[in-house]
């Protein structure tokens, strides 16, 4: 391993996740470094989403540790993980369908708001000011991902691509240090994929580390400097796109599966 | 943020670990122990024959609750719905069989002949069938259209159907207790000073037969296997070519025929019923189902027996005004601290 | 400015008209009644003030069921707790209990105490339960709703059992404006004993208005958004940093506080509490009000509460008599007498309550789940269904 000066923001340390007899993630270890775009790839069923669920506390790992900014978060609850600064999107888009795009993004700021029950009950100046701030920020974020024209539309009525973007805006609203994107380009046209990669770069430029899952090798190769490959729950390769592309096990995992 | 560390520890060891969990376990054991000691002193003081008598009541009572609890557990196991109306289907069974008895020539004070046995079987059969049809209709009309609606919706209709059925019984027989003909002969035998009557044997025997029959059915038959498959993973069952709608309807049907049998036996045993019988009996039986681990039929049978026995023993040895309070307190404690059931037979996957 | 953009247009509360109509009706109702009855409005105003209790209860239950999507079937238990809190703290009753000393605390202070006590019970009950599945809450609250009245009935050395506690203190206001409406000249009076039904009505309307404003504020705050989110997709809400257990617990205990509050008012007005007034049918009645009116919509549940209250406490009281007169007048007087299981038309109709309640719950959920006056968001949600696949979905997608 080369010695890196950049400290890791997230360390996945010998994480294993079992469901009954099934080992979905098997003793996986890697670091995500601050400020990079890091990718996790692998064929279907490799355990990628399971690993995300393990990191974000939805299904805590069976064994192993998850360390975020030098603090162990293994088994912390999802809302605690989000508050600490890890936000995520979902593979199968889980927006609040009957809330407007604006409300979705405002909800994302929930854990950064300070109004107490008292403030909410009596609409105190503190609460009003905070609501204004939150709304302004929400509009900014909708503009940032490029869907401000849907501000007052129910999330379920947004076009598919805009729903994915809204999910990213909602995740960014939690003000994360690390953003987990679960197949953000799934179902996109090549043109949309290019636009999305532009957005990802914009997010990183704003100081957020991005850790994404992608199914499509080509997309990943274009954005990430470092990649980890999972197959059947095991880490089979880690390195730069070139290293991964030429790795025999990776080729087998992909070709063996798909051809 | 020290809370994370705490949360981590709690989460890792599960909710039950840690000092708080151990204190709780200890408290629970202490409460049970105190109850048993109190019960023990009372049992000793009042003598063995009284104990044996209460035990007989308790087992019969438990048998009836077991039959009701099975319906709750089967339906919850398959569509994760608390079928609030199930208790009222049971009460309907009691009301219906009461009306069927005279039609089949079974009257209080009449002689009980071999013909009476057949007539009684016919009453059982008709009541069970009617309850089954009633429950299937409920599922078809009130639950099936809401299968993909938010969870709250079928839960509210279930409460509505329950109230509707109570309303029907209320309309039918009014607010007061309704007498149920006492047709089973008072014959019995004495053992250590306690009388074990024909009624006790009937209820205990029929309950055992039905529970074993159900277990065999679910275990061995095609439909039983389909029910288990649907309960485990509905989508996968669908892929296997199982007709989900039919399987769910069958579950409601079978649950209800057991409740119908339970209702008939309740009437025969206690000789009384009331329009809101299903409400309290249903709640107790649901307690039993949770107690045994919801979704598990053996658990429900054992849970029903245990809860029924607790109820009878409390009635027999302590102040019966507090019986319901005790039972419902057990319900709350079990749901809160042992949601997977005290017997821990099956841990729900989700 | 951005601000104007999001405050204007589609965000305006579509309920404004409904609120105005309700407020105008509340103001003109006593005047109207006074005119119609020729100054003899006391009986009707008493009923109207009682209806307000149910309005309060419905608004409170709406927070639990409508906003947070939790089913509370033991709501009357908190109502009982509120009522008994007043009975214990504001009457001579404590003299005959093991305590031996009467307690007399002002009605207005007990209102707050009762809210706190009821909310505490809500927390004790909800905190462990809300970690589990939502439908377990329904059963736990149902059990609790059965326990509480039984405890009040059985613990007779403290509560006088079935006889209940009577002669509770009459609430008094520190200041009150008298005028022609009560048959007096204009004058401010101090330490005014609230006896007249009009005074109760006025106090009730003011309390309801305050509660509506507070609940509406909550609904439109970060908490309201969190409730909506939790109701739609708990996993996504948690992943966005919402502490779902805490948020649900807050809704549950705010609902309980409302119920306790209403209970104290009820006890104060009736000057009597009895364990028979808080059974399951009360919990169901309030649920029917909320469901019929429109879950999640405040004017809707107020309308639902008034409508159901009218049906049960006015219409269903008079209907048997009307029915008897009606069938007699059309020559079917045979229906009046009872025969066999048939109790006669009057009794028959008075027995319809349970059945009608059940039907309302079923039919509304099947045909018009959004209720009579729906909240716009709930309407969509209940009709189309939210996706509430379990979290496991993610895993199967990966592993199959």
């Amino acid at each position: 391993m080369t010695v890196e000066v950049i400290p890791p923001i997230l360390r996945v340390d010998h994480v294993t996740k079992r469901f009954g007899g099934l080992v979905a993630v098997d003793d996986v270890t890697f670091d995500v470094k601050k400020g990079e775009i890091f990718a996790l790839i692998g064929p279907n069923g490799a355990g990628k989403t399971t690993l995300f669920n393990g990191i974000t506390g939805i299904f805590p790992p069976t064994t192993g540790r998850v360390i975020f900014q030098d603090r162990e978060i293994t088994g912390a609850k999802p809302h605690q993980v989000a508050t600490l600064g890890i936000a995520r999107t979902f593979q199968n888009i889980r927006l609040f369908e009957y809330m407007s795009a604006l409300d979705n993004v405002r909800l994302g700021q929930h854990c950064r708001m300070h109004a107490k029950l008292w403030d909410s009950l009596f609409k105190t100046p503190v609460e009003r000011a905070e609501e204004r701030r939150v709304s302004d920020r929400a509009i900014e974020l909708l503009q940032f991902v490029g869907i401000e024209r849907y501000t007052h539309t129910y999330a379920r009525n947004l076009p598919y691509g805009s729903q994915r973007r809204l999910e990213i805006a909602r995740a960014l609203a939690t003000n994360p240090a690390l953003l987990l994107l679960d197949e953000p380009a799934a179902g996109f046209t090549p043109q949309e994929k290019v636009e999305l990669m532009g957005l990802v770069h914009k997010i990183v430029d704003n100081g957020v580390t991005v850790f994404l899952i992608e199914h499509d090798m080509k997309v990943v190769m274009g954005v990430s400097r470092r990649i980890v490959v999972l197959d059947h729950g095991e880490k089979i390769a880690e390195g730069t796109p070139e290293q991964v592309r030429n790795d025999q096990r990776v080729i087998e995992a992909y070709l063996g599966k798909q051809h | 943020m020290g809370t994370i560390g705490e949360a981590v520890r709690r989460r890792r060891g599960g909710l039950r670990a840690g000092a708080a969990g151990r204190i709780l376990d200890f408290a629970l054991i202490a409460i049970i122990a105190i109850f048993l000691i109190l019960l023990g002193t009372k049992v000793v003081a009042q003598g063995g024959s009284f104990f044996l008598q209460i035990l007989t009541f308790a087992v019969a009572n438990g048998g009836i609750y077991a039959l009701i609890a099975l319906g709750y557990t089967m339906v919850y196991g398959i569509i994760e719905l608390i079928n609030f109306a199930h208790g009222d289907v049971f009460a309907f069974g009691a009301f219906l069989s009461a009306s069927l008895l005279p039609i089949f020539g079974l009257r209080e004070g009449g002689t009980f002949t071999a013909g009476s046995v057949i007539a009684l079987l016919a009453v059982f059969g008709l009541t069970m069938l009617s309850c089954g049809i009633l429950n299937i209709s409920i599922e078809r009309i009130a639950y099936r259209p809401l299968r993909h609606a938010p969870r709250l919706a079928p839960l509210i209709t279930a409460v509505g159907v329950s109230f509707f059925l109570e309303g029907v019984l209320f309309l039918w027989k009014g607010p007061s207790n309704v007498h149920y003909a006492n047709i089973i002969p008072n014959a019995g035998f004495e053992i250590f000073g306690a009388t074990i009557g024909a009624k006790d044997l009937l209820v205990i025997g029929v309950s055992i037969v039905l529970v074993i029959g159900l277990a065999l059915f679910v275990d061995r038959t095609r439909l039983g296997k389909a029910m288990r498959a649907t309960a485990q993973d509905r989508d996968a069952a669908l892929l296997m070519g199982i007709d989900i709608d039919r399987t769910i309807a069958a579950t409601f049907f079978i649950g209800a025929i057991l409740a119908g049998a339970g209702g008939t036996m309740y009437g025969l045993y206690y000789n009384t019923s009331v329009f809101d019988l299903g409400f309290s009996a249903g709640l107790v039986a649901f307690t039993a189902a949770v107690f045994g681990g919801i979704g598990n039929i053996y658990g429900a049978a054992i849970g029903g027996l245990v809860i029924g026995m607790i109820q009878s023993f409390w009635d027999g040895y302590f102040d019966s005004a507090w019986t319901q309070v005790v039972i419902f307190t057990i319900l709350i404690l079990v749901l809160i601290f042992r949601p997977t059931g005290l017997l821990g037979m099956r841990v729900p996957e989700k | 400015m951005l601000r104007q953009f999001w405050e204007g247009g589609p965000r305006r509360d579509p309920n404004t008209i409904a609120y105005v109509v309700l407020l105008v009706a509340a103001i003109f109702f006593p005047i109207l009644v006074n005119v119609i009855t020729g100054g003899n409005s006391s009986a009707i105003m008493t009923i109207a003030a009682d209806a307000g209790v149910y309005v309060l209860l419905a608004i409170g239950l709406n927070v639990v069921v409508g906003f947070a999507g939790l089913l509370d079937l033991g709501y009357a238990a908190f109502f009982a707790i509120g009522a008994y809190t007043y009975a214990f703290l504001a009457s001579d009753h404590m003299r005959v209990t093991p305590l031996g000393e009467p307690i007399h605390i002002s009605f207005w202070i007990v209102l707050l105490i009762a809210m706190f006590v009821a909310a505490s019970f809500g927390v004790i009950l909800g905190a462990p339960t809300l970690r589990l599945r939502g439908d377990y809450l329904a059963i736990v609250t149902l059990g609790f709703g059965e326990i509480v009245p039984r405890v009040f009935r059985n613990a007779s050395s403290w509560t006088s059992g079935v006889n209940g506690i009577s002669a509770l203190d009459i609430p008094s206001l520190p200041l009150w404006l008298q005028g022609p409406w009560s048959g007096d000249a204009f004058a401010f009076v101090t330490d005014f004993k609230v006896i007249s039904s009009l005074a109760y009505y006025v106090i009730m309307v003011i309390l309801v208005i305050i509660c509506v404003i507070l609940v509406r504020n909550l609904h439109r705050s970060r908490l309201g958004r969190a409730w909506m989110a939790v109701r739609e997709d708990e996993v996504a809400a948690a992943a966005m940093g919402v502490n779902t257990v805490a948020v649900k617990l807050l809704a549950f205990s705010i609902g309980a506080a409302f119920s306790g509050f209403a209970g104290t008012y009820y006890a104060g007005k009736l000057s009597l509490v009895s364990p028979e007034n808080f059974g399951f049918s009360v919990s169901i009645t309030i649920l029917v009000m909320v469901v019929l009116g429109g879950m999640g919509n405040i004017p809707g549940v107020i309308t639902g509460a008034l409508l159901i209250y009218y049906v049960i406490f006015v219409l269903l009281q008079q209907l048997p008599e009307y029915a008897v007169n009606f069938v007699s007048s059309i020559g079917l007087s045979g229906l009046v007498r009872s025969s066999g299981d048939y109790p006669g038309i009057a009794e028959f109709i008075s027995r319809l309550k349970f059945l009608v309640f059940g039907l309302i719950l079923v039919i509304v959920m099947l045909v018009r789940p959004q209720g009579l006056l729906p909240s716009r968001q709930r309407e969509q949600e209940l009709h189309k269904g939210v996706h509430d696949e379990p979290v496991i979905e993610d895993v199967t997608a990966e592993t199959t």
Side-chain angles (χ1 to χ4, degrees):
Chain A
M1 282 283 255
T2 50
V3 182
E4 287 271 358
V5 197
I6 309 160
I9 189 167
L10 178 79
R11 166 165 289 174
V12 173
D13 185 15
H14 295 289
V15 164
T16 296
K17 177 67 191 177
R18 288 193 197 89
F19 291 102
L22 176 83
V23 183
V25 175
D26 191 4
D27 197 27
V28 169
T29 300
F30 58 82
D31 282 352
V32 178
K33 299 194 168 53
K34 200 164 188 308
E36 72 173 337
I37 301 177
F38 185 85
L40 177 64
I41 65 170
N44 264 336
K48 304 182 296 280
T49 298
T50 308
L51 191 61
F52 264 24
N53 286 341
I55 295 166
T56 52
I58 293 176
F59 287 121
T62 316
T63 57
R65 299 189 306 161
V66 180
I67 294 155
F68 175 66
Q69 292 181 331
D70 298 329
R71 177 189 278 142
E72 184 174 349
I73 58 162
T74 326
K77 288 180 188 151
H79 72 91
Q80 295 170 322
V81 174
T83 312
L84 285 173
I86 302 182
R88 70 171 291 179
T89 64
F90 294 89
Q91 187 183 344
N92 50 345
I93 309 183
R94 300 183 78 143
L95 287 166
F96 305 114
E97 298 189 357
Y98 295 93
M99 288 163 69
S100 66
L102 180 71
D103 272 342
N104 267 278
V105 182
R106 288 204 283 198
L107 181 105
Q109 298 175 73
H110 182 90
C111 62
R112 303 287 170 232
M113 295 173 73
H114 305 289
K116 297 279 175 287
L117 179 61
W118 180 265
D119 297 310
S120 299
L121 272 173
F122 297 98
K123 279 238 171 278
T124 56
V126 176
E127 204 261 3
R128 285 166 195 270
E130 188 175 69
E131 279 292 316
R132 274 198 294 276
R133 230 171 25 242
V134 162
S135 301
D136 289 349
R137 171 84 181 132
I139 302 264
E140 267 171 41
L141 283 166
L142 289 172
Q143 285 166 343
F144 181 77
V145 301
I147 54 166
E148 68 276 12
R149 66 177 170 285
Y150 295 120
T151 304
H152 297 297
T153 312
Y154 276 139
R156 72 190 312 266
N157 297 333
L158 261 60
Y160 177 79
S162 302
Q163 290 195 357
R164 287 232 176 262
R165 283 167 181 270
L166 175 56
E167 237 197 345
I168 293 173
R170 185 181 67 176
L172 287 174
T174 65
N175 200 12
L178 174 66
L179 176 64
L180 309 187
L181 300 175
D182 196 343
E183 299 206 19
F188 276 13
T189 62
Q191 170 64 26
E192 284 175 318
K193 283 183 183 172
V194 171
E195 285 171 17
L196 181 90
M197 289 310 140
L199 177 61
V200 170
H201 279 294
K202 236 166 72 180
I203 293 169
V204 175
D205 291 344
N206 276 282
V208 180
T209 308
V210 173
F211 175 12
L212 59 90
I213 290 180
E214 191 45 70
H215 195 60
D216 184 346
M217 292 257 289
K218 277 182 219 134
V219 174
V220 174
M221 300 296 173
V223 290
S224 338
R225 297 240 317 284
R226 291 198 318 123
I227 295 171
V228 157
V229 189
L230 282 194
D231 185 36
H232 290 103
E234 280 178 69
K235 182 171 98 173
I236 58 169
E238 178 175 4
T240 62
E242 289 70 35
Q243 287 170 335
V244 166
R245 199 183 339 227
N246 298 322
D247 189 295
Q248 198 53 40
R249 290 183 70 188
V250 177
I251 294 166
E252 272 168 26
Y254 268 84
L255 296 185
K257 278 262 170 189
Q258 291 180 341
H259 293 279
Chain B
M1 287 202 192
T3 52
I4 297 289
E6 257 175 55
V8 169
R9 254 174 278 126
R10 217 180 312 141
R11 190 74 170 239
R12 276 198 147 168
L15 194 72
R16 310 275 315 130
R22 276 197 295 280
I23 291 169
L24 207 89
D25 274 342
F26 182 75
L28 271 176
I29 293 167
I31 291 168
I32 295 169
I34 291 168
F35 172 72
L36 288 179
I37 290 167
L38 271 175
L39 187 66
T41 54
K42 292 229 178 193
V43 168
V44 170
Q46 307 202 18
S49 61
F50 184 69
F51 174 75
L52 207 59
Q53 195 67 68
I54 298 284
L55 185 66
T56 313
F57 290 153
V59 174
N61 194 35
I64 294 172
Y65 281 125
L67 290 183
I68 317 173
L70 286 168
Y72 278 109
T73 223
M74 287 168 71
V75 167
Y76 197 92
I78 206 158
I79 54 170
E80 303 197 335
L81 169 73
I82 301 170
N83 180 13
F84 283 102
H86 187 72
D88 301 293
V89 172
F90 158 81
F92 173 78
F95 273 65
L96 182 70
S97 62
S99 304
L100 287 175
L101 290 178
I103 297 174
F104 283 87
L106 293 164
R107 279 170 221 290
E108 194 156 338
T111 48
F112 200 82
T113 61
S116 312
V117 175
I118 295 168
L120 191 58
L121 278 177
V123 170
F124 262 100
L126 261 177
T127 308
M128 288 159 78
L129 187 68
S130 310
C131 286
I133 292 169
L134 174 66
N135 215 21
I136 282 191
S137 321
I138 293 171
E139 194 271 331
R140 183 72 195 79
I141 296 167
Y143 302 156
R144 195 182 294 178
L146 296 173
R147 210 174 282 160
H148 301 288
R151 241 193 152 68
L152 189 62
L155 215 51
I156 290 176
T157 34
V159 174
V161 173
S162 164
F163 233 63
F164 175 77
L165 289 181
E166 273 173 40
V168 170
L169 300 182
F170 186 62
L171 213 55
W172 186 4
K173 296 283 184 182
S176 38
N177 286 346
V178 180
H179 180 68
Y180 192 105
N182 185 8
I183 59 151
I184 305 294
N186 284 325
F189 59 90
E190 273 202 17
I191 180 166
F192 301 119
T195 312
I196 297 179
K199 276 184 191 174
D200 302 312
L201 293 176
L202 173 85
V203 170
I204 296 169
V206 173
S207 304
I208 291 174
V209 168
L210 286 176
V211 169
I212 292 176
L214 178 73
L216 287 177
F217 176 83
V218 171
D219 230 39
R220 302 282 163 80
T221 64
R222 237 181 108 78
L223 190 56
K225 282 175 188 157
M227 281 161 61
R228 277 184 298 152
T230 311
Q232 244 170 30
D233 186 336
R234 202 186 296 171
D235 296 331
L238 195 65
L239 288 175
M240 295 308 191
I242 292 172
D243 184 340
I244 303 293
D245 283 345
R246 241 192 68 197
T247 310
I248 292 174
T251 308
F252 274 85
F253 184 78
I254 294 165
I257 62 174
L258 297 175
T264 311
M265 291 203 293
Y266 184 93
L268 292 171
Y269 196 73
Y270 291 106
N271 300 117
T272 182
S273 61
V274 65
F275 79 101
D276 61 358
L277 169 71
F279 176 72
S280 47
L283 204 47
V284 174
F286 186 82
T287 312
V290 175
F291 201 79
I294 193 125
N296 178 331
I297 56 172
Y298 302 102
I302 296 169
L305 190 64
V306 170
I307 295 286
M309 288 176 73
I310 293 175
Q311 191 184 42
S312 295
F313 274 106
W314 191 281
D315 274 344
Y317 286 103
F318 301 96
D319 182 357
S320 65
W322 289 93
T323 307
Q324 296 291 70
V325 174
V326 169
I327 297 284
F328 296 145
T329 307
I330 292 174
L331 166 76
I332 292 178
L333 292 178
V334 169
L335 276 175
I336 290 175
F337 298 113
R338 281 273 193 274
T340 52
L342 216 61
L343 305 174
M345 284 176 142
R346 171 187 181 245
V347 181
E349 312 82 55
K350 293 176 205 164
Chain C
M1 277 264 298
L2 286 174
R3 206 166 290 158
Q4 279 158 344
F5 178 57
W6 61 259
E7 271 177 352
R11 288 290 302 168
R12 195 169 293 130
D13 193 342
N15 282 327
T16 312
I17 298 170
Y19 283 123
V20 171
V21 170
L22 284 170
L23 187 65
V24 169
I27 292 169
F28 283 97
F29 181 73
I31 300 170
L32 194 72
V33 169
N34 207 23
V35 170
I36 292 175
T37 57
N40 205 358
S41 63
S42 166
I44 293 179
M45 292 318 295
T46 301
I47 294 175
D50 282 345
V53 175
Y54 278 83
V55 170
L56 279 181
L57 287 168
I59 293 172
L61 186 63
N62 180 47
V63 173
V64 187
V65 180
F67 291 172
L70 304 165
L71 189 54
D72 183 348
L73 292 173
Y75 200 58
F78 302 109
F79 188 45
I81 288 170
Y84 271 91
T85 303
Y86 187 67
F88 288 149
L89 298 183
S91 72
D92 281 333
H93 176 72
M94 276 293 157
R95 199 196 305 270
V96 299
T97 66
L99 189 70
E101 283 297 321
I103 304 175
H104 292 281
I105 298 177
S106 156
F107 174 77
W108 305 100
I109 293 168
V110 179
L111 269 183
L112 298 179
I113 295 175
M115 278 174 81
F116 181 75
V117 172
S120 308
F121 273 98
V123 171
I124 292 169
L125 203 60
T129 319
L130 286 168
R131 292 171 191 282
L132 313 170
R133 334 186 44 119
D135 38 11
Y136 274 22
L137 184 76
I139 284 286
V140 167
T141 50
L142 188 55
F144 186 65
E146 287 302 294
I147 290 174
V148 168
R150 283 192 167 85
V151 168
F152 284 134
R153 182 156 59 233
N154 293 341
S156 47
S157 60
W158 286 92
T159 63
S160 306
V162 283
N163 299 324
I165 302 169
S166 54
L168 311 185
D169 295 351
I170 294 163
S172 62
L173 283 171
L175 196 66
W176 179 256
L177 179 66
Q178 280 187 344
W181 48 84
S182 54
D184 300 296
F186 280 106
F188 281 107
V189 284
T190 53
D191 196 23
F192 171 78
K193 289 258 182 258
V194 186
I195 297 170
S196 95
S197 53
L198 182 67
Y200 274 108
Y201 179 83
V202 172
I203 291 170
M204 195 57 191
V205 169
I206 292 169
L207 286 180
V208 168
I209 290 172
I210 292 171
C211 288
V212 166
I213 292 170
L214 296 183
V215 169
R216 188 168 164 276
N217 284 347
L218 274 185
H219 188 45
R220 293 158 68 93
S221 72
R222 71 191 277 253
L223 198 54
R225 272 198 302 273
W227 283 333
M228 258 185 253
V230 165
R231 204 173 66 203
E232 278 200 36
D233 189 335
E234 246 186 274
V235 174
M240 292 305 118
V242 176
N243 183 350
T244 53
V245 174
V247 161
K248 287 191 285 183
L249 186 59
L250 207 51
F252 186 63
S253 32
I254 288 173
F258 259 92
S259 197
F261 181 87
T264 295
Y265 177 89
Y266 177 78
K269 177 168 184 303
L270 216 62
S271 193
L272 171 87
V273 291
S274 142
E276 310 305 319
N277 295 344
F278 307 103
F280 179 60
S281 66
V282 176
S283 299
I284 280 288
T285 306
I286 305 160
L287 182 67
V288 171
M289 289 167 170
V290 172
V291 168
L292 180 70
M295 283 184 283
N297 186 33
I298 304 168
V301 300
I302 294 175
T303 314
L306 293 173
L307 194 69
I308 294 288
Y309 188 86
Y310 175 77
V311 169
I312 305 171
F313 295 97
V314 182
L315 197 63
L316 225 53
Q317 309 290 323
Q318 297 167 352
L319 207 58
E321 200 185 316
Y322 292 152
V324 168
N325 294 340
F326 178 72
V327 294
S328 306
S329 69
I330 59 169
L332 290 171
S333 50
L335 286 175
V336 176
R337 270 173 281 108
S338 65
S339 69
D341 281 338
Y342 177 70
I345 187 87
E347 174 64 18
F348 187 82
I349 284 177
S350 67
R351 286 181 184 179
L352 279 172
K353 189 176 105 177
F354 291 107
L355 199 141
V356 170
F357 274 13
L359 273 183
I360 290 176
L361 286 179
V362 175
I363 291 174
V364 169
M365 287 322 292
L366 288 178
V367 180
R368 198 178 158 82
Q370 68 275 31
L372 293 180
L373 275 182
S375 93
R376 209 191 289 166
Q377 183 216 2
R378 272 295 239 183
E379 176 170 1
Q380 296 260 335
E381 187 182 309
L382 284 160
H383 254 315
K384 311 263 169 49
V386 291
H387 73 170
D388 59 355
E389 319 101 72
V391 206
I392 210 102
E393 190 94 337
D394 287 8
V395 179
T396 48
E398 272 277 303
T399 49
T400 46

